[in-house]
Amino acid sequence: MINTIKICKVASYDSEPEELTGLKKINFIYGSNGTGKTTISRVIRDYKSDIYRNCKLEWKDGFHPIARFVYNRDFVKENFDESEEIKGIFTLGKNDKEINDRIITEKAELDKIKHGITTREETLKGKDAELTQCEEDFKERCWTLKKDYGEVFKEAFKVGRASKANFKERLLKEAASNSSAVVSLEYLKKQIKIVYKDELQETKLLSVPNGDAILAHEEDAILKKKVIGNNDVDIATLIKKLENSDWVEQGREFYNSKERVCPFCQQQTQDTLEHSLNKYFDETFIADTKAIENLSNAYEEDSKDLKDTVQILLDNGSGVLDSEKLQAKTDLLGKTLLINFKKIEEKKREFSKSIELDSLKDVLKEISELVQEANNKIKEQNEIFSNLNLACDRLTDQVWRYLLDSVIKDDLEKFNEEKSKLNKAITNLEKEIDTERYKKSKKESYIQGLEKQTSSIEPTITCINKLLKDFGFTGFKLKKDDRKRFYKIEREDGSDVKETLSEGEKSFITFLYFYHLIKGNDKGIEMTSDRVVVFDDPVSSLDSDILFFVSCLIKGVCNEVKKDKGTSIKQVFVLTHNLYFHKEVTLDPKRRNGVSFKDETFWTVRKIDRKSKVESHESNPVKTSYELLWREVNNKDPDKIGIRNAMRRILEYYSKKILGRSNLKTIGDGFEATEKSIFDSLISWINDGSHFPDDDDSFQSSELMIEKYKEVFKRIFKEVGHISHYKMMIGEPEAPENQSKPSK
């Protein structure tokens, strides 16, 4: 069924769409001629044509567009004015009861299949909506991740960061193909600083301090050797006993052999003392002391070279060396060297003393390890520099792998699981729908085969001719054309009368033709296919008796649709300007106060400022013509021309039925000039419908003039003493003390 009709930018409909929405099985639309009813019927029939490109039909959920059968003046023109032939209407013959019963059974089964398809399609829409929401929720979660890590990983996010959808698709792509190892966030941050560093360039390796020379001094045997004189000399026993070899050696510098004065006790000595001292401090002693001196000099020189090398590292660490740790190790190195210098100086003063230097092995090893660690980073940077694009790609892969495994893993698993379930359900539903559609197609083909066995245009001819005769149209009848699929209209003598039919005759036979057409079709197949039927002013040019009969036929169609028992008609629209016909076709003894039933809607179409407007009503808006005229007067947004005519017709009716014409002729004498002109314009309708020169075309349709007309209109009722009737019809509360008395 059609749920909504949107009409705009066509005929008298403005650019702002007019909508008939919430439509049901039966829909009544009332409006005067020229208000835009036929445009509605044309849109229903031809909404896909270019003329109505700005209009739209929206079908109820689960319903596909179905055939639309529209009776309006276009239908009459196409079938009786322009067409030289009348297509035959095929209906199911009543004689072959077994086939007809079979068709009814098969049609019921077909309806079940269609209902099953509709139900599944509605479920499919729900699953599609769930899948869309699932995708949307995960897209938002991905975007939250992007915002949380966007600053840290902005370089890695360059691809796919333009939109939420692109970012989500990139993440899913990485989940399917990324095989990088998982690394820590700290590692990624460090690598990002290296790989994406703007000033990245090739760097020379740092020199690892060579401590072999300084470490070799620590093993020098002279340090531990007690350097003393020759023990075979006569003074050796005394020196050894006193353990003052170093003191004696230092005192030798002050011994003068010519004066022969002892430098220690200042006593005269023998000539042999010099010989004994020289013999005691022999070449071995001199060599050892020389070795100590050389060691001291070498240690000082090697220490300086070592400290200079380390200082260079501190000054030029390329930003990769841990300067803080190196500084600590350098300080320790300096302190150790200072201690060792003091020990060597002590050895130089006391040759006989055995010393051991503090080892620099550990601190030099730690310094070397720091430098080597820095060199490893430099090598990595140099490798990155030489293969920058590859390094960027590798790091980007690692970033996405980290996000997939450490940040969004649970959400991704939940999304994949839910999406898989929904896709499986959707696939199953689509297969079921395809299967049911195949069943539907087979069933329809089978029904068409049955229809061909029993379908004929003869029943239509018989039925229409009987109806024509029953209603007094005896001068012509339908007859089967020689071509067997067409009709012709002829008189009793066989002559063709199609072009000599009166408007009433043409209207009636056209309606009967359409009435039978909606029960079958003019093709001989698909006579039971679903359809929407539109009756647009079907009673024009018909007298009251036939009008009543047409309304009964249409009410019968509506009742079939409401019961929905075997009929192919699923929805009906009835549009009319005829008040009597509208009252007849909507008449139902069960209706209370005009309230619409659950399966019907009521609408009115009006023209306001030459623009068609559609209005929905909860109950039947059409009461009597007199009430409708008052409704136009009371409308908040009246038609500026129609309201004046409504006032005229009210006064005409009221003066004839209640007051008598003479009661209105003289009351205008007391009006002022402007009011008198308005008064004359209003009562002109009473004078045989004659109009004054200032009537419709020259009427100035301003809000001010409308209000002026309303004031004069109200005053007329006041002057004749019937203001209570005015207030009742206009819906204005009345105070008893203010009621006007009849004028004399």
Side-chain angles (χ1 to χ4, degrees):
M1 291 195 302
I2 299 170
N3 182 67
T4 301
I5 304 173
K6 296 181 179 180
I7 311 176
C8 70
K9 296 182 179 179
V10 64
S12 56
Y13 288 85
D14 206 354
S15 57
E16 187 67 26
E18 291 295 313
E19 292 190 13
L20 293 87
T21 190
L23 297 170
K24 298 180 181 178
K25 288 184 178 180
I26 311 299
N27 306 276
F28 298 106
I29 303 172
Y30 181 85
S32 302
N33 278 331
T35 55
K37 298 189 307 301
T38 298
T39 300
I40 296 175
S41 68
R42 286 170 174 167
V43 169
I44 294 175
R45 177 183 171 181
D46 299 317
Y47 71 98
K48 290 185 177 180
S49 71
D50 189 60
I51 299 174
Y52 305 108
R53 59 184 175 276
N54 297 307
C55 304
K56 186 177 182 182
L57 292 191
E58 294 180 358
W59 300 83
K60 285 187 181 294
D61 292 341
F63 281 82
H64 298 288
I66 56 179
R68 283 93 55 215
F69 287 67
V70 178
Y71 179 90
N72 57 18
R73 57 175 173 264
D74 297 332
F75 178 85
V76 176
K77 185 177 181 181
E78 290 168 4
N79 288 276
F80 285 88
D81 289 352
E82 294 180 348
S83 177
E84 295 182 357
E85 54 191 20
I86 304 173
K87 294 180 181 178
I89 298 173
F90 290 84
T91 57
L92 299 177
K94 295 183 179 180
N95 296 329
D96 199 336
K97 185 177 184 303
E98 182 179 347
I99 294 179
N100 286 340
D101 290 344
R102 186 62 183 164
I103 289 174
I104 293 173
T105 301
E106 293 294 329
K107 182 65 167 58
E109 292 180 5
L110 177 61
D111 288 341
K112 289 182 180 179
I113 294 173
K114 289 180 179 179
H115 179 72
I117 293 173
T118 298
T119 301
R120 288 177 174 85
E121 287 177 336
E122 289 176 350
T123 304
L124 180 60
K125 285 182 180 179
K127 293 299 180 183
D128 285 335
E130 288 183 46
L131 180 59
T132 299
Q133 189 59 51
C134 176
E135 296 274 6
E136 185 67 23
D137 292 343
F138 185 67
K139 181 175 69 176
E140 292 298 326
R141 175 66 187 94
C142 292
W143 196 247
T144 299
L145 176 149
K146 189 264 178 188
K147 290 191 290 186
D148 291 344
Y149 290 87
E151 188 60 32
V152 179
F153 297 146
K154 60 183 178 181
E155 296 296 336
F157 286 169
K158 279 185 177 179
V159 179
R161 67 177 181 178
S163 68
K164 294 180 181 180
N166 288 344
F167 188 82
K168 185 202 77 171
E169 291 305 318
R170 174 62 186 274
L171 190 140
L172 292 176
K173 180 181 178 182
E174 292 293 336
S177 61
N178 193 313
S179 59
S180 296
V182 182
V183 295
S184 68
L185 179 60
E186 290 72 20
Y187 172 82
L188 291 173
K189 288 180 178 179
K190 291 178 181 177
Q191 289 298 106
I192 286 172
K193 291 180 180 179
I194 296 172
V195 174
Y196 299 130
K197 187 166 61 175
D198 293 337
E199 63 273 13
L200 183 64
Q201 58 184 355
E202 190 170 12
T203 306
K204 292 182 179 180
L205 295 176
L206 302 176
S207 297
V208 179
N210 190 343
D212 292 346
I214 203 77
L215 291 177
H217 295 319
E218 294 177 4
E219 303 299 326
D220 198 322
I222 197 65
L223 294 172
K224 295 181 179 181
K225 182 178 181 181
K226 295 183 178 182
V227 179
I228 57 177
N230 189 346
N231 289 330
D232 295 332
V233 181
D234 53 359
I235 62 174
T237 301
L238 178 61
I239 293 174
K240 185 176 181 180
K241 182 179 180 181
L242 295 175
E243 296 181 349
N244 59 357
S245 174
D246 300 324
W247 178 71
V248 173
E249 166 58 19
Q250 293 173 10
R252 286 181 60 202
E253 296 180 10
F254 303 98
Y255 178 67
N256 189 331
S257 59
K258 293 180 179 181
E259 296 179 354
R260 295 182 179 179
V261 176
C262 178
F264 307 107
C265 65
Q266 302 299 312
Q267 301 293 324
Q268 287 291 322
T269 63
Q270 297 178 358
D271 294 337
T272 59
L273 179 59
E274 181 179 3
H275 174 73
S276 296
L277 288 172
N278 290 334
K279 189 175 182 182
Y280 181 80
F281 296 107
D282 57 8
E283 292 179 357
T284 300
F285 181 86
I286 293 172
D288 287 341
T289 57
K290 183 64 175 176
I292 292 172
E293 183 66 27
N294 291 339
L295 172 64
S296 176
N297 293 333
Y299 198 86
E300 181 178 6
E301 184 177 348
D302 292 339
S303 296
K304 183 178 182 302
D305 291 342
L306 180 61
K307 289 193 291 184
D308 289 344
T309 302
V310 174
Q311 188 60 46
I312 291 173
L313 291 173
L314 285 171
D315 295 339
N316 304 288
S318 299
V320 296
L321 187 61
D322 193 333
S323 300
E324 187 175 344
K325 286 185 178 180
L326 180 59
Q327 186 62 61
K329 299 304 177 184
T330 302
D331 293 342
L332 178 59
L333 175 67
K335 291 178 182 179
T336 305
L337 287 172
L338 184 60
I339 291 171
N340 287 342
F341 280 135
K342 291 181 179 180
K343 288 183 177 182
I344 293 173
E345 288 298 317
E346 186 177 354
K347 179 69 173 178
K348 286 168 65 178
R349 291 193 303 270
E350 300 180 43
F351 301 125
S352 62
K353 188 173 184 178
S354 176
I355 65 170
E356 184 176 356
L357 299 179
D358 289 356
S359 180
L360 296 171
K361 184 177 181 180
D362 290 341
V363 69
L364 287 174
K365 180 182 178 183
E366 291 170 350
I367 291 173
S368 296
E369 288 174 350
L370 286 173
V371 176
Q372 190 58 52
E373 183 180 341
N375 279 337
N376 290 338
K377 293 180 181 179
I378 292 173
K379 289 178 182 178
E380 187 176 353
Q381 287 188 24
N382 288 342
E383 183 181 355
I384 290 171
F385 178 76
S386 60
N387 301 280
L388 189 57
N389 291 334
L390 181 63
C392 288
D393 291 343
R394 181 170 62 248
L395 181 56
T396 298
D397 289 344
Q398 290 173 335
V399 167
W400 286 102
R401 187 74 263 164
Y402 169 79
L403 295 174
L404 290 167
D405 277 40
S406 303
V407 180
I408 204 170
K409 182 178 180 180
D410 293 341
D411 293 300
L412 180 60
E413 290 177 352
K414 181 180 177 181
F415 167 73
N416 284 331
E417 181 180 356
E418 186 175 355
K419 182 179 179 181
S420 177
K421 288 181 179 178
L422 289 171
N423 280 329
K424 184 177 180 180
I426 289 170
T427 300
N428 290 337
L429 282 168
E430 289 174 340
K431 289 180 179 178
E432 291 176 8
I433 290 171
D434 288 341
T435 300
E436 293 302 306
R437 284 176 176 169
Y438 177 75
K439 291 181 181 178
K440 173 176 171 286
S441 177
K442 295 287 288 183
K443 185 69 69 177
E444 288 172 339
S445 297
Y446 181 63
I447 291 173
Q448 289 176 13
L450 292 175
E451 290 173 344
K452 288 180 178 179
Q453 295 179 41
T454 186
S455 64
S456 171
I457 68 172
E458 295 291 348
T460 304
I461 295 175
T462 301
C463 187
I464 290 179
N465 284 339
K466 183 178 184 305
L467 290 172
L468 288 172
K469 184 178 180 180
D470 290 345
F471 283 89
F473 294 94
T474 57
F476 59 90
K477 63 181 179 179
L478 276 185
K479 187 176 181 180
K480 190 175 181 180
D481 190 82
D482 294 337
R483 289 167 292 178
K484 296 183 179 181
R485 295 181 63 85
F486 297 90
Y487 302 135
K488 61 181 180 180
I489 304 173
E490 64 180 21
R491 297 193 184 279
E492 292 297 328
D493 60 3
S495 60
D496 192 342
V497 299
K498 180 181 172 184
E499 295 186 6
T500 63
L501 294 176
S502 69
E503 287 300 318
E505 291 171 333
K506 184 188 298 184
S507 295
F508 187 50
I509 197 169
T510 304
F511 175 79
L512 293 178
Y513 180 83
F514 180 80
Y515 176 78
H516 285 82
L517 181 64
I518 64 176
K519 303 283 187 174
N521 66 28
D522 54 10
K523 299 180 180 64
I525 57 173
E526 297 182 354
M527 290 175 291
T528 57
S529 61
D530 293 342
R531 57 198 65 184
V532 173
V533 173
V534 180
F535 298 100
D536 179 13
D537 263 340
V539 294
S540 297
S541 305
L542 298 181
D543 60 34
S544 58
D545 290 338
I546 299 177
L547 181 149
F548 175 77
F549 176 71
V550 168
S551 67
C552 288
L553 291 179
I554 294 176
K555 283 175 68 175
V557 172
C558 293
N559 289 332
E560 289 179 11
V561 174
K562 289 180 180 179
K563 294 176 182 178
D564 195 19
K565 291 184 178 180
T567 181
S568 57
I569 302 173
K570 301 303 179 183
Q571 190 175 31
V572 175
F573 291 83
V574 182
L575 303 92
T576 186
H577 75 285
N578 189 296
L579 179 67
Y580 180 75
F581 171 74
H582 181 86
K583 289 174 65 66
E584 286 295 330
V585 82
T586 59
L587 181 64
D588 191 318
K590 297 179 181 179
R591 193 186 303 281
R592 293 291 181 267
N593 300 321
V595 177
S596 60
F597 297 121
K598 65 178 181 179
D599 49 10
E600 65 182 12
T601 65
F602 286 99
W603 304 82
T604 55
V605 187
R606 302 169 58 244
K607 257 189 182 178
I608 301 174
D609 293 337
R610 296 183 173 83
K611 301 296 182 182
S612 294
K613 299 291 181 182
V614 177
E615 184 178 356
S616 173
H617 301 272
E618 293 183 359
S619 60
N620 192 344
V622 181
K623 310 298 182 184
T624 66
S625 58
Y626 185 67
E627 289 175 301
L628 289 175
L629 292 171
W630 277 99
R631 180 173 295 175
E632 183 65 35
V633 172
N634 200 27
N635 199 297
K636 294 180 180 180
D637 190 16
D639 178 47
K640 294 179 176 62
I641 295 177
I643 186 173
R644 187 166 64 162
N645 289 335
M647 292 177 184
R648 285 172 173 172
R649 294 177 65 183
I650 289 171
L651 292 174
E652 178 187 28
Y653 174 86
Y654 205 68
S655 68
K656 289 178 179 179
K657 301 293 184 181
I658 308 297
L659 302 176
R661 287 173 182 256
S662 60
N663 289 46
L664 293 181
K665 290 182 178 180
T666 60
I667 63 173
D669 296 340
F671 288 92
E672 297 178 359
T674 303
E675 292 178 334
K676 181 64 166 61
S677 175
I678 293 174
F679 171 81
D680 291 340
S681 174
L682 288 175
I683 66 170
S684 66
W685 204 284
I686 301 169
N687 299 319
D688 300 324
S690 60
H691 286 215
F692 280 75
D694 66 338
D695 279 355
D696 298 342
D697 291 338
S698 60
F699 175 56
Q700 299 299 314
S701 56
S702 67
E703 298 290 340
L704 183 60
M705 285 300 295
I706 290 175
E707 291 304 316
K708 198 67 178 175
Y709 263 85
K710 285 185 175 181
E711 290 175 9
V712 172
F713 180 71
K714 180 178 180 180
R715 184 174 171 184
I716 292 173
F717 280 89
K718 184 176 181 180
E719 291 295 325
V720 298
H722 286 245
I723 192 64
S724 296
H725 179 74
Y726 172 87
K727 290 183 177 181
M728 178 186 71
M729 298 305 293
I730 211 72
E732 180 180 330
E734 181 181 4
E737 64 273 19
N738 293 331
Q739 291 185 13
S740 300
K741 296 181 180 180
S743 60
K744 296 181 180 180

